[in-house]
Amino acid sequence: MSSGRIRSEIKPGMEVDIVLKKDQPTGKLTRGVVKDILTKSPTHPHGIKVRLTDGQVGRVQRIFLRDDLKP
């Protein structure tokens, strides 16, 4: 699992956990699949901002690799 602070580690189609702006105070995570990468800089200390396939926007906190998803 990766932390989501490095843009080059995130690709459309990856499953990630993001924190939505409204959930920043609580740290509640939302899981989804990356549609678009919105952050232009190569790194961001609070996580790369992405848009999920369902339209929600937030900063990546975790990236799930295929091996991470196995039961």
Side-chain angles (χ1 to χ4, degrees):
M1 216 175 328
S2 182
S3 68
R5 294 186 179 130
I6 301 171
R7 188 179 193 278
S8 63
E9 293 179 353
I10 301 168
K11 307 280 185 238
M14 291 181 127
E15 187 165 6
V16 296
D17 277 349
I18 64 169
V19 63
L20 303 171
K21 182 111 179 146
K22 69 178 179 125
D23 293 330
Q24 285 176 349
T26 64
K28 178 182 173 233
L29 298 176
T30 301
R31 186 160 300 174
V33 176
V34 176
K35 179 179 179 185
D36 302 306
I37 301 170
L38 304 177
T39 298
K40 299 299 181 198
S41 63
T43 63
H44 193 283
H46 301 294
I48 300 298
K49 190 179 282 189
V50 299
R51 179 180 296 114
L52 301 180
T53 54
D54 65 3
Q56 296 184 94
V57 173
R59 295 196 179 273
V60 177
Q61 302 300 299
R62 291 190 209 135
I63 301 169
F64 293 94
L65 306 173
R66 292 187 188 275
D67 292 343
D68 295 333
L69 298 174
K70 291 181 182 172

